[in-house]
Amino acid sequence: MKRSERLVDMTKFLMERPHTLIALPFFAKRYGAAKSSISEDLAILKHTLASNEDGILETVAGAAGGVRYIPFLGQKPAEKYLKDLAGRIQDSSRILPGGFLYLSDILGGPYDLEMIGKLIATRYAYANIEAVMTVETRGISLANAVASYLNVPAVTARKRSKVTEGATVSVNYMSSSTSRVAKMELPTRALDKDTSVLIVDDFMKGGGTLDGMRQLVKEFDCQVAGVCVLCETEYEEERKIKDYVSLVNIDQIDSEKEIVLAQPGNFLTRTNFDRF
Amino acid sequence: MKRSERLVDMTKFLMERPHTLIALPFFAKRYGAAKSSISEDLAILKHTLASNEDGILETVAGAAGGVRYIPFLGQKPAEKYLKDLAGRIQDSSRILPGGFLYLSDILGGPYDLEMIGKLIATRYAYANIEAVMTVETRGISLANAVASYLNVPAVTARKRSKVTEGATVSVNYMSSSTSRVAKMELPTRALDKDTSVLIVDDFMKGGGTLDGMRQLVKEFDCQVAGVCVLCETEYEEERKIKDYVSLVNIDQIDSEKEIVLAQPGNFLTRTNFDRF
């Protein structure tokens, strides 16, 4: 196979297997090419990704070595996207009664899910995440987008028992939006012991739901490797979660004046972009 | 930029924008290259994708022309994957009380979601789908995977009212699994009039839930372009949905004998793979 064809196939192959170590001999065999040629191909790939600040090709040296594609966005494209996203969230037609915002278009939009997934996968690219957890319903598309870029399973806690899940572990939590004690549960077989879990959700007010997920992770003898939300919103009391990352910070939702004020969240200061 | 770098960037660029027409002058400008060189690059890309039966690069001639990347799997990789998937579904440890199966590992697994998403996107690649619909909860990851490969929005009907959705349209439907009349609803702003909608879900018994979604699509003055499920299972009465595509057909779930019998569904005979 010619270099030009190899480069197309290799780019596609690696992009479809993020965070997966591919040994050089695998490519040498796949293309019937010398290892030295493969190394040159990979150098081109690495350079091209880096020049766009969109993706890292990581080289692992040694006998068990190879290459690994890491979805990773640079600071500039991250800032640009988050400013645009915050701008769109400020659209006052999103305001719903009770100080909520309509976000389903963003949470179901393929471009936004790609960008949000890539950004969160960038923040936790080197945090050894082994699973992404969310709670139904609106966080699911988000969790799956992140999980696809980190190439780990997504697990979904449920707010009510379903016969199609089998045995579950459940926890009680204080829902900040309804100020009621609620229950969430996860199938016992969803997580192995000692899994490193990234918790994600679409919206954080008081952090009660996120705190419920944190409890659930502990019940499975697993570790919380991070908590990340799409939007954090103003909350007067003390939050149940202090250490979190937010992509968008909604300062104000004023239904009377029809004003939403939003800006990029703490994501930009909490992410080490220094990898290119 | 050299051809080798152009090919890497172009592959990534197109893969991240499936079903999107990119004009040749756009690439010519992006890479500071002659249109004839870009055409040669695209010919290499097209050939490489086709030789793996994994993706089509479609050329659109004329003044408004360009190229479009269509995620599309060939018959052989489709058969191979579906046989493997059906085999894994036969694992008797998936059996849950009441004749249900645990499938959350598949519906949350990045590789399975990629393959299932690509397969369904293959089946409907030329059906002018404008949105993918599902109903909470387990179909959501599936719908988003399909939507990402078709590059259209995913919309999720809810089984109970949520304050965070605003005004909704609701329908009643007969749930085949519980034999009860249930309700599902979708925000009024989720779908524009005359949208062509692909309905997807994880599991079909009698088709009651799918029928509910079909009603919902009609209430929005939209069209059902197709109905596709991950698994269909045995059902003794007449199904509410007759025209559907299934990836896996589960013939039998016997909790006493601990036997699950599954095989590829009608997907393989209902898909025109003749595009390479």
Side-chain angles (χ1 to χ4, degrees), chain A residues 194-268:
Chain A
D194 271 332
T195 303
S196 172
V197 181
L198 172 63
I199 293 172
V200 302
D201 209 356
D202 59 328
F203 215 78
M204 175 175 74
K205 263 184 149 166
T209 308
L210 293 162
D211 190 47
M213 283 194 263
R214 202 162 58 172
Q215 275 183 65
L216 209 41
V217 170
K218 281 179 196 157
E219 287 298 328
F220 278 81
D221 290 323
C222 293
Q223 296 82 41
V224 177
V227 173
C228 187
V229 296
L230 176 60
C231 298
E232 63 168 306
T233 185
E234 48 173 359
Y235 191 68
E236 282 162 25
E237 295 160 57
E238 201 181 357
R239 280 213 170 95
K240 287 196 183 64
I241 297 272
K242 268 135 206 150
D243 188 16
Y244 63 86
V245 172
S246 68
L247 269 65
V248 175
N249 189 345
I250 301 175
D251 298 316
Q252 201 189 331
I253 304 175
D254 189 325
S255 347
E256 292 222 343
K257 294 184 189 151
E258 299 198 338
I259 290 173
V260 181
L261 292 181
Q263 55 184 317
N266 67 15
F267 179 88
L268 292 169

Side-chain angles (χ1 to χ4, degrees), chain B:
Chain B
M1 202 188 264
K2 285 184 198 163
R3 161 149 296 153
S4 54
E5 292 167 6
R6 286 203 306 265
L7 284 168
V8 170
D9 188 75
M10 224 178 239
T11 304
K12 186 161 185 292
F13 189 93
L14 285 163
M15 277 184 67
E16 290 182 337
R17 289 156 187 83
H19 285 271
T20 306
L21 189 70
I22 312 290
L24 259 56
F26 172 84
F27 280 133
K29 196 181 165 197
R30 183 173 172 100
Y31 306 127
K35 269 211 243 175
S36 58
S37 305
I38 300 295
S39 293
E40 286 168 36
D41 296 345
L42 293 167
I44 296 166
L45 225 155
K46 185 173 194 157
H47 169 77
T48 309
L49 293 175
S51 66
N52 286 336
E53 296 200 3
D54 187 1
I56 291 171
L57 193 73
E58 204 177 61
T59 315
V60 180
V67 288
R68 196 186 272 134
Y69 167 63
I70 315 281
F72 199 99
L73 271 184
Q75 186 157 10
K76 273 186 204 164
E79 278 176 4
K80 193 178 165 217
Y81 173 72
L82 289 178
K83 272 184 194 165
D84 167 66
L85 180 64
R88 283 186 283 139
I89 286 176
Q90 291 194 115
D91 179 351
S92 65
S93 74
R94 295 187 178 279
I95 298 177
L96 299 172
F100 291 98
L101 287 185
Y102 185 83
L103 294 174
S104 301
D105 55 331
I106 291 166
L107 292 164
Y111 170 68
D112 283 314
L113 285 175
E114 181 195 320
M115 291 301 289
I116 292 166
K118 257 193 203 176
L119 283 173
I120 301 179
T122 296
R123 170 63 183 78
Y124 298 97
Y126 296 94
N128 296 315
I129 306 297
E130 294 169 314
V132 178
M133 179 193 268
T134 195
V135 64
E136 63 178 353
T137 300
R138 296 199 312 167
I140 299 176
S141 60
L142 195 61
N144 279 284
V146 176
S148 81
Y149 286 108
L150 291 174
N151 205 8
V152 299
V155 299
T156 305
R158 307 285 298 253
K159 286 178 191 157
R160 46 187 176 156
S161 207
K162 283 288 289 183
V163 284
T164 48
E165 300 276 29
T168 63
V169 172
S170 74
V171 296
N172 294 314
Y173 69 100
M174 190 73 192
S175 164
S176 318
S177 53
T178 60
S179 299
R180 277 190 201 160
V181 177
K183 188 175 170 175
M184 67 168 82
E185 58 187 20
L186 191 68
T188 51
R189 60 179 110 183
L191 282 177
D192 289 334
K193 211 176 157 179
D194 272 331
T195 303
S196 173
V197 180
L198 172 63
I199 293 173
V200 302
D201 209 358
D202 59 327
F203 215 79
M204 175 175 73
K205 263 184 149 168
T209 308
L210 293 162
D211 190 47
M213 282 193 263
R214 202 162 59 173
Q215 276 182 65
L216 209 42
V217 171
K218 281 179 195 157
E219 288 297 330
F220 277 81
D221 291 323
C222 293
Q223 296 82 43
V224 176
V227 174
C228 188
V229 295
L230 176 60
C231 297
E232 65 168 305
T233 185
E234 47 175 358
Y235 191 67
E236 283 164 24
E237 294 161 57
E238 201 181 356
R239 278 212 171 94
K240 288 198 182 63
I241 297 273
K242 267 134 207 151
D243 188 17
Y244 62 86
V245 172
S246 68
L247 269 63
V248 174
N249 189 345
I250 301 174
D251 299 317
Q252 203 189 328
I253 302 175
D254 189 326
S255 348
E256 292 222 340
K257 293 184 190 152
E258 298 197 339
I259 289 172
V260 181
L261 292 179
Q263 55 186 316
N266 67 16
F267 179 89
L268 292 169
T269 54
R270 293 255 183 145
T271 300
N272 176 15
F273 291 101
D274 197 19
R275 295 271 181 181
F276 287 109

Side-chain angles (χ1 to χ4, degrees), chain A residues 30-47:
Chain A
R30 183 174 172 100
Y31 306 126
K35 270 210 243 178
S36 58
S37 305
I38 299 295
S39 292
E40 285 168 36
D41 296 347
L42 293 167
I44 295 166
L45 226 154
K46 185 173 193 156
H47 169 77

